[in-house]
Every structure is written in C-alpha cells, then in structure tokens.
Amino acid sequence: MISTPLSEQPRIVLFGLRNAGKSSLMNNILKNYISIVADFPGTTTDPVTKSMELGKLGPVAFTDTAGLDDTGEIGTLRVKRTLDFLKVADIAILVTPVDKPPSEIEINFALEINSKNKPFVIALTFADKKPDEKKLKWASQFNSVKINNITCEGVEELKKLLISFSSQLEFEIPPLEGIVKENDFVVLVTPIDLAAPKGRLILPQVETIRDALDKDCGVLIVKERELKLFYDSLKIKPKIVITDSQAFSKVAADIPETQLLTSFSILFARKKGDLSLFVKGIKKLDSIKPNSKILILEACSHHQQADDIGTVKIPRLFRQMVQSNCEFEFARELPPEEKLKEFSFVIQCGGCMVTRRKILYRLQIFENYGIPSTNYGLFLAWANGLLPRAIEPFQYEYELYLSS
Amino acid sequence: MISTPLSEQPRIVLFGLRNAGKSSLMNNILKNYISIVADFPGTTTDPVTKSMELGKLGPVAFTDTAGLDDTGEIGTLRVKRTLDFLKVADIAILVTPVDKPPSEIEINFALEINSKNKPFVIALTFADKKPDEKKLKWASQFNSVKINNITCEGVEELKKLLISFSSQLEFEIPPLEGIVKENDFVVLVTPIDLAAPKGRLILPQVETIRDALDKDCGVLIVKERELKLFYDSLKIKPKIVITDSQAFSKVAADIPETQLLTSFSILFARKKGDLSLFVKGIKKLDSIKPNSKILILEACSHHQQADDIGTVKIPRLFRQMVQSNCEFEFARELPPEEKLKEFSFVIQCGGCMVTRRKILYRLQIFENYGIPSTNYGLFLAWANGLLPRAIEPFQYEYELYLSS
C-alpha cells in the first residue's frame, strides 16, 4: 500500500464521453501494478480512484469519472461531479475514440482544460479502427497518444508522456509533511488581529488545518490567551504546537519545554523554499561586512507585501541586528548576472503567490554565485529569537543551526 | 462592560488627515457613555477602539485611526494599517476641517469609501470657523454633519445619522451566538471530500472556527473517522459538537447521548434566516395535501446551487417523504402576489450569497400570506433524520418541534 496521503499525490483524472474506453484504459495503465494499487473509500458519488507509482512522479492517483454525456437526473449529478474533478486534477486525460469526429462536448471540454494551463493529453482509443480525419486534426492541437485497449498498444507511451509532465507539476511540501503521522494531535495558536476581516482565517492557518485533517490528525485551535487552559485540558501530549510567530514567546512560556514548537512562518518557508538553505543563510549573517549590498527580492510584481515587510521592516531589523552600515536594494525580478554578483546576501519573500519551483530556481542561482540567502520568514524568526527552538522539529536543519 | 464580542459589533471607523479633530470627535461621541465604555487590548499598531451602546445599533465599536497623511517610516506603516480598517469598517466617518479646501488624499479617500457602498458620513469639524466653499461643495455629494468639538455642537446630529444607517447594516447571527460562552470547548467534525480543492476548508467551517476564536473558545477539528479517538482524549466535556450533516448519524453514534450535537446546516439556517419559522414550517409538512404547489426559491440569479439541490434533490425527497403528488416550481425571484398565493409551501435556499435581511424580508411576505416555509438546510436535516437532536441546542425551537 502507498502511504502518501491521497491529497498529496498528483491527481490524474480520466475524462470522456460514455463508452470512450476510460475504464479499460485505467485498468490497462494500472495492470502491472496490481500489488501496490490502493483503493480509497469514497462516497457513492465518488468516481473510482486508484494509486500507483509512476516513475519520477512517485505515487499518483488515477481517477475514472462518469461520462461527460451522461443523462437523466442522476446522470446530470454525475456530470457536475465530474466537472468538480477537473478543478482538482493535476493532469487531465481526455479519452476519445479515434474513429469518430470530435463532439461539441469534447471540443468545449478540451478548450476548458487547456485554458486552465494544466498538463493535458488526449488518449485516442480504438487505435485498431480507421481514424476519423476531423478527430486527428482536432487532436493535433494538443498532446495525444493512440491507444489500443485490447493489445495495450500505446499505454506505455502514454505513461511516459504523463511522467514527462513532472516538471510542470507543483511540488510544494505540505505544512505538516514528515512532522506528524496518522492520529497525531496538533495544536495551532492563531492570534486574531483586530483588522482581520470578520469570519475569516488567514490562508496558512486554513492550509495547516486541512493538511492535518488529510493526515488523519486531530487539531486544536486556540488564541494565545486560551492556549494554557486548553493545552492542560488534553489527556494526550500534542505532537507539535504551531503558532503565529508574533505570539511565539508567550506560547513558549505557556507550554512545557519538552513540547515541540514551531511557527507557521517556518512551515511555509519549508513549503515554498529550502529550509536548510535558509538556515545556512542565517548562519552567514555574522560575517556580513560593512558596506555590503543586500538584495531584498520579492516574487511577483502585482502583489505588494503587507506592512512593507521587505522595504521597511527587514532593512530596519537588519541594520539593528546584523550590520548597521549596509545598502539595501529592493527588487521584484531577479537582477541580471552582472548586477547580482554585487550582492553579499539575498532575502527572498515567502513566495505565497508563486510556485515553489520559481523560488527554488532563484535559490539555485544564488548558490551558483556563492551568495548566501534566506527568506522573510526565517529572517524574522531569527530576529525575533525563535531560533533554534522553532526548527527543533526539523532534525537536519536544527543540527545545522547548532553546528559551528 | 459590553459583553458582545468586538467582532460582532458594528464597527464605526474615524478616518482623516492629522489634526482634523478625529480624537476630539471620538471623545465627544463617547463622552456621556463613559461608564459603559470598554477598552479593547490591541497590539501597539492597533488604533484605539472603544465601544458604546448607540440606539438601535446596539453596542458599536468606534475606532480612531492614524492620520491619512502620516509620513516617515512608521507613519507609512500606520497609513497602511488605517487602510486595513477601511476594509472592516461597517460605517466610515471622514473627519475634515470645514475651513480648509479638500485635499487630494481626502477626495480620493471619499471616492474609495463610496465605491465600497458602505454607509459613510463626512464630519466637518471646526464649525466655528469660516467654511471653505470648495469643502462645502465637495461634502454636499455625501452625508455630512458640521461639528464643533469645543461646544459639542453637531455631535448628537452625527449620532442620529449613524443610527439611521442601521437598516443598511447586516445583522446575521454568528454561528455560535448564544450557544457558547468564553472558554467553552467546541468540536467540529468535517468530512473531507475527495473533490474538495487541496489545502482549503469550506466557508461554513472557517466561519465557525473564527467565531469560536472570537468568543475565546477552544476548537477541536477532526474528520468523522478520528472523532471518537480525540473526543475520548479530552479531559473536559465539549459544550457542543457540530458536524457536517452527511456524517450526522456516525457522529451521533460515536459520542454520548448527553452531548449537545448540531449540524453546520442548522447553524447557518439560523445565521441567514429564522430558525423558529423554519421549524414551524417543518411541522406543517404533514398537512401538505395532494396536488399542492410547492415553491423552491433561490436567492440570487448568478449562483447555481451545487448538485442541483433545489431542482432535483429536494423535490425527490419531498415526493418520497411528504407527498408523492405535488407540483414543484423553481424560481430565483419572489413571484408576484397573485402567483405567490397559489403555493402551499415554500422552501427557501440557504442564502449564502445574499444578506439575511433579504431572506427575512421574503419570510415575512410568506407569513403575511399564511404560506408555511422552511429552508434547504432544515428540510434536508429533517429528511435525513437529524431532528429533533440537531436543534436541541436551541431550546425554543426544540420545544416548538416537540410540541403537538
């Protein structure tokens, strides 16, 4: 059985009209992997989902859906359900017989998938029959593979194509990955800001709650003021306490010293970046020389960080705690090579609006030039005295930080 | 002290340039209410917030903000913070001296507030000085009141104007209102649907978590499978368990019979409608005669309910459980009077996209015509056997349901 939770496996969803050969294709893809196939229980309206290891994609979940042309009362519900799966699909396969012209539903559906910029392949089934010219012409706009479900011809080619999409898939680290296991208990401490919109939680909190539920954990959520009361009401010791970093010192004082404790900012530095690289960067701070140039780098041009963290707060803390005499430059795009070389240190934003891939790409470039770097979350955690305790849950980074 | 949590009080925020008289005006508004003024602790960047009873608005929170023209590093942060408060303001007061022409910042800010369709008034301070003609002309586009902060002239008029905005304010019932008190413990059971987008929770769950935190409660969140394990790990008895209605029977079996239990759908029927009216409606179901006309009424034209709850699921359940021989009509707008009279029963949608006011207005009309009504959530709760247990937390409605 595959132990990666379903929610973290890339989801490959098979769509198509009724009798296009979706189920046969799914069976053929999974055929030689029968021993590691895991069935996931779903409600009666859930399409069949099975997992297998697929090359460097690792464990992936295949979902077979109801026909896009299903009719009747129940059929209409099934089609709606199928369209829901388009939203969560990481890769979409549209299964369609090669010997029939594309239907209006198929044409529209292909446009819909394509508009979402998701990796997408058309599986042209019934490859033993005479191809329809219109179908071939239409399919040629997209990735396509001819499949014979009887002989399995084309199935390996399809798998290779799916694996080739790996570079297009997101591979963030879920907030609690590697920290908790099934039936662990997690405590989240979430101060509520007076200016926070009514009835909402901020996204890192929501993502962490959801990840805990996906990992079959229980989650206690409290404000920092009520933490001690409810922490003491538990018969079990939580696996970890995660707090908003602004409440870190109060939280640390209210729980036993043996309790694992970290901050949302650390979890999200890891999710969207490279925690060990960021910790290495922090350790280089004491060798920053006067008159160094420091690059503060954000990740997107359309999204201004709240409270001017990058333009005001970080430079101020840096001058106070690292080196009073430094020059700061703020940018949203990676500077050209010649320019980049001038910098002694880079502090990268959290990357909330971009992919982890984009951040890792940048970090690789800094490493190539031998420029140490860290991110907003780690820098602020360090400046506010959260280290090393907040990285104790991460054995490698913790030892790295303590090593001389 | 006012016991309504700050988050549920209408928020009236004073904006303006430095030295416009914001703090003096706030003090004058609060002057005679000193005994019931409550101070709320905030972080150092939080503007001053104080509460008072204001006529039929009930307890309201006044917030004084930093000058919109504040400068310097810290000043820029304060201005950003002030703009955050514009988002959460229920009513905005722009304070500006009557004797000076409107500045560009003020002109733009007034346009910004106005574009948000929030109740908005301009307080023209220094009413003892000679008015600037440009200021008067500009202010005449909006609601405005002349204020003399030395004599308090105009302050009562301003309060009356603020109270007159009450009909424009939303007054939903927060999910846990009247059910929990400070330091109570709440358990939420949230099945995770395979088709749910990664890393997200649905809005009713988020709103309920947030409401519990606002009410100084602790919240345990679990999936239905882990409920028993973690319920048994608590030293304290939860005040209430709230579950997604699809897991109701499993949840009911996993916790003691003495444990208060309800569903998100019941909480949100109350939040967005009139729970006792809906319960009364449910009790009328057994008197629906054959050939009755049933109106299924949604609340907005742009938002199709998921899974065709109104067009398919509810009519099917109704035919199975209430009266097999009925005629259903589906509408998104309230039918005209003559048409409306034909109906024997109305089932109103949850109203997630509209104000509670709009739903209550409709319910009032049904009552005027003597047409019993309920809503989607209550009807489904009843049809799925959740009643009466799920309304036990609501004493009045519970007794109403059990009465003959």
Side-chain angles (χ1 to χ4, degrees):
Chain A
M1 296 286 285
I2 293 165
S3 62
T4 307
L6 189 57
S7 63
E8 286 149 31
Q9 298 176 20
R11 180 82 60 103
I12 302 178
V13 184
L14 290 87
F15 300 95
L17 303 183
R18 283 174 298 175
N19 303 318
K22 293 187 297 299
S23 301
S24 305
L25 177 56
M26 177 142 151
N27 287 337
N28 282 333
I29 292 170
L30 293 160
K31 195 182 271 178
N32 298 316
Y33 291 81
I34 204 71
S35 60
I36 61 153
V37 164
D39 281 18
F40 290 93
T43 69
T44 50
T45 57
D46 269 328
V48 179
T49 293
K50 289 173 190 282
S51 282
M52 66 177 282
E53 290 274 340
L54 191 62
K56 66 178 174 183
L57 284 180
V60 297
F62 281 91
T63 299
D64 186 14
T65 60
L68 291 167
D69 54 344
D70 210 344
T71 54
E73 198 176 281
I74 302 294
T76 310
L77 288 180
R78 282 211 201 96
V79 172
K80 274 187 178 279
R81 185 80 184 153
T82 294
L83 296 177
D84 283 344
F85 271 87
L86 180 55
K87 293 183 203 142
V88 297
D90 295 299
I91 299 175
I93 303 177
L94 179 55
V95 184
T96 180
V98 73
D99 61 327
K100 288 175 189 147
S103 76
E104 198 180 324
I105 293 179
E106 290 173 320
I107 291 170
N108 289 334
F109 193 76
L111 290 174
E112 174 75 12
I113 303 177
N114 219 37
S115 72
K116 297 199 185 311
N117 283 320
K118 291 186 181 185
F120 163 44
V121 52
I122 294 187
L124 296 162
T125 46
F126 300 96
D128 51 323
K129 298 196 179 168
K130 182 169 179 292
D132 175 87
E133 285 307 316
K134 281 189 188 146
K135 179 64 68 73
L136 289 182
K137 189 169 175 216
W138 167 74
S140 69
Q141 310 166 65
F142 312 104
N143 291 301
S144 68
V145 178
K146 283 188 195 151
I147 302 279
N148 181 336
N149 270 324
I150 300 166
T151 62
C152 285
E153 179 202 329
V155 172
E156 284 308 311
E157 190 189 341
L158 175 63
K159 284 187 196 170
K160 280 188 192 136
L161 188 59
L162 295 174
I163 292 168
S164 76
F165 291 143
S166 76
S167 63
Q168 292 176 56
L169 295 185
E170 188 50 76
F171 63 120
E172 293 184 2
I173 303 175
L176 299 171
E177 186 66 20
I179 303 175
V180 299
K181 57 181 202 320
E182 193 185 340
N183 293 350
D184 274 343
F185 197 75
V186 177
V187 177
L188 307 184
V189 187
T190 62
I192 298 293
D193 187 298
L194 272 186
K198 284 182 192 180
R200 297 292 178 274
L201 296 171
I202 59 172
L203 205 52
Q205 296 167 1
V206 172
E207 283 189 45
T208 308
I209 295 169
R210 173 61 191 270
D211 193 33
L213 295 174
D214 284 337
K215 291 181 162 65
D216 304 334
C217 295
V219 194
L220 169 65
I221 307 176
V222 285
K223 294 206 302 293
E224 72 278 28
R225 261 203 301 165
E226 287 80 44
L227 170 64
K228 191 166 166 44
L229 171 69
F230 291 114
Y231 186 91
D232 292 342
S233 307
L234 301 171
K235 286 183 200 162
I236 45 174
K237 183 178 174 183
K239 182 61 188 286
I240 191 163
V241 174
I242 301 155
T243 178
D244 190 286
S245 45
Q246 69 182 90
F248 196 89
S249 51
K250 167 152 178 49
V251 169
D254 278 353
I255 58 176
E257 278 180 34
T258 56
Q259 173 65 60
L260 273 190
L261 170 65
T262 191
S263 68
F264 289 104
S265 56
I266 302 284
L267 295 183
F268 281 76
R270 190 178 70 132
K271 179 174 190 278
K272 281 285 194 176
D274 180 334
L275 188 60
S276 59
L277 198 79
F278 293 155
V279 169
K280 278 183 203 156
I282 292 290
K283 286 176 66 80
K284 296 280 185 186
L285 285 174
D286 56 10
S287 56
I288 302 279
K289 295 188 179 62
N291 301 315
S292 293
K293 286 186 72 174
I294 313 296
L295 176 63
I296 311 277
L297 190 58
E298 296 205 340
C300 48
S301 51
H302 58 285
H303 181 72
Q304 174 97 40
Q305 283 272 347
D307 290 343
D308 286 328
I309 291 175
T311 53
V312 179
K313 198 168 177 183
I314 287 178
R316 188 174 57 216
L317 282 168
F318 200 97
R319 287 198 178 97
Q320 282 169 10
M321 303 186 60
V322 182
Q323 177 56 257
S324 59
N325 190 5
C326 274
E327 192 185 324
F328 292 91
E329 206 160 308
F330 181 87
R332 294 209 161 92
E333 295 292 338
L334 201 61
E337 186 179 343
E338 281 314 301
K339 174 99 183 145
L340 191 62
K341 285 181 189 163
E342 298 170 9
F343 293 102
S344 305
F345 199 84
V346 182
I347 307 181
Q348 165 70 51
C349 78
C352 59
M353 303 297 280
V354 298
T355 62
R356 184 176 185 228
R357 194 173 301 280
K358 176 164 178 173
I359 301 293
L360 292 184
Y361 170 76
R362 287 182 171 186
L363 299 181
Q364 186 60 54
I365 289 175
F366 308 149
E367 271 211 299
N368 292 349
Y369 286 103
I371 307 170
S373 65
T374 194
N375 88 339
Y376 284 19
L378 255 283
F379 180 79
L380 293 171
W382 170 80
N384 290 308
L386 277 61
L387 303 190
R389 187 166 182 185
I391 55 171
E392 216 181 321
F394 310 97
Q395 197 58 28
Y396 177 75
E397 286 80 5
Y398 184 64
E399 284 169 12
L400 195 65
Y401 185 83
L402 296 181
S403 68
S404 53
Chain B
M1 295 286 285
I2 293 164
S3 62
T4 307
L6 189 57
S7 63
E8 286 149 32
Q9 297 176 21
R11 180 82 61 102
I12 302 178
V13 184
L14 289 87
F15 300 95
L17 303 183
R18 284 174 297 175
N19 303 318
K22 292 186 298 298
S23 302
S24 305
L25 177 56
M26 177 142 151
N27 287 337
N28 282 332
I29 292 171
L30 293 159
K31 195 182 271 179
N32 298 316
Y33 291 81
I34 204 70
S35 60
I36 61 154
V37 164
D39 280 18
F40 290 93
T43 69
T44 50
T45 57
D46 269 329
V48 179
T49 293
K50 290 173 189 282
S51 282
M52 66 177 282
E53 291 273 341
L54 191 62
K56 66 178 173 183
L57 284 180
V60 297
F62 281 90
T63 299
D64 185 14
T65 59
L68 291 167
D69 55 344
D70 210 344
T71 54
E73 198 176 281
I74 303 293
T76 309
L77 288 180
R78 283 210 200 97
V79 171
K80 276 189 176 276
R81 185 81 185 153
T82 295
L83 296 177
D84 283 344
F85 271 88
L86 180 55
K87 293 183 203 142
V88 297
D90 295 299
I91 299 175
I93 303 177
L94 180 55
V95 184
T96 180
V98 74
D99 61 328
K100 289 176 189 146
S103 76
E104 198 181 324
I105 294 179
E106 290 173 320
I107 291 170
N108 289 334
F109 193 76
L111 290 174
E112 174 76 13
I113 304 177
N114 219 37
S115 72
K116 296 199 184 312
N117 283 320
K118 291 187 181 184
F120 163 45
V121 52
I122 294 186
L124 295 162
T125 46
F126 300 96
D128 52 323
K129 298 198 178 166
K130 182 171 179 291
D132 175 87
E133 285 307 316
K134 281 189 188 146
K135 179 65 67 74
L136 289 182
K137 188 168 176 218
W138 166 74
S140 69
Q141 311 167 66
F142 312 104
N143 291 301
S144 67
V145 178
K146 283 189 196 150
I147 302 280
N148 181 337
N149 269 324
I150 300 166
T151 62
C152 285
E153 178 202 330
V155 172
E156 284 308 311
E157 190 189 341
L158 174 63
K159 284 187 195 170
K160 279 187 192 136
L161 188 59
L162 294 174
I163 292 167
S164 76
F165 291 143
S166 76
S167 63
Q168 292 176 56
L169 295 185
E170 187 50 76
F171 63 120
E172 294 184 2
I173 303 174
L176 299 170
E177 186 66 20
I179 304 175
V180 299
K181 57 181 202 320
E182 194 185 339
N183 293 349
D184 274 343
F185 197 75
V186 177
V187 177
L188 307 184
V189 187
T190 63
I192 298 293
D193 188 299
L194 272 186
K198 284 183 192 180
R200 297 291 178 273
L201 297 171
I202 59 172
L203 205 52
Q205 296 167 1
V206 172
E207 283 189 45
T208 309
I209 295 168
R210 172 62 191 269
D211 193 33
L213 295 174
D214 284 337
K215 291 181 162 66
D216 304 333
C217 295
V219 194
L220 169 65
I221 306 177
V222 285
K223 294 205 303 295
E224 72 277 29
R225 260 202 302 163
E226 287 80 44
L227 171 64
K228 191 166 165 44
L229 170 69
F230 291 114
Y231 186 91
D232 292 342
S233 308
L234 301 171
K235 287 183 199 161
I236 45 174
K237 183 178 174 182
K239 182 61 188 287
I240 191 162
V241 175
I242 300 155
T243 178
D244 189 286
S245 45
Q246 69 183 89
F248 197 88
S249 51
K250 166 151 178 50
V251 169
D254 278 352
I255 58 176
E257 277 179 33
T258 55
Q259 173 64 60
L260 274 190
L261 170 65
T262 192
S263 68
F264 289 104
S265 56
I266 302 284
L267 295 183
F268 281 76
R270 190 178 70 132
K271 179 174 190 278
K272 282 285 194 175
D274 181 334
L275 188 59
S276 58
L277 198 79
F278 293 155
V279 169
K280 278 183 202 156
I282 292 290
K283 286 175 67 79
K284 296 280 185 185
L285 285 174
D286 56 10
S287 55
I288 302 280
K289 295 189 180 62
N291 301 315
S292 293
K293 286 186 73 174
I294 313 296
L295 176 63
I296 311 277
L297 190 58
E298 296 205 342
C300 47
S301 51
H302 58 285
H303 181 73
Q304 174 97 40
Q305 283 272 348
D307 290 342
D308 286 328
I309 291 176
T311 53
V312 179
K313 198 168 176 183
I314 287 178
R316 189 173 57 214
L317 282 168
F318 200 97
R319 287 197 179 98
Q320 281 169 10
M321 303 186 60
V322 182
Q323 177 56 257
S324 58
N325 191 4
C326 273
E327 192 184 324
F328 291 91
E329 206 160 307
F330 181 87
R332 293 209 161 91
E333 295 292 337
L334 201 62
E337 187 179 343
E338 281 313 301
K339 174 98 184 147
L340 191 62
K341 286 182 189 161
E342 297 170 9
F343 293 102
S344 306
F345 199 84
V346 183
I347 307 180
Q348 165 69 50
C349 78
C352 59
M353 303 296 281
V354 298
T355 62
R356 184 174 185 229
R357 193 173 301 279
K358 175 163 178 173
I359 301 292
L360 293 184
Y361 170 76
R362 287 182 171 187
L363 299 180
Q364 186 60 54
I365 289 175
F366 308 148
E367 272 211 298
N368 292 349
Y369 287 103
I371 308 170
S373 64
T374 194
N375 88 339
Y376 283 19
L378 255 283
F379 180 79
L380 293 172
W382 170 80
N384 290 307
L386 277 61
L387 303 190
R389 187 166 182 185
I391 55 171
E392 217 180 321
F394 311 97
Q395 197 58 30
Y396 177 75
E397 286 80 5
Y398 184 64
E399 285 169 11
L400 194 65
Y401 186 83
L402 295 181
S403 67
S404 53

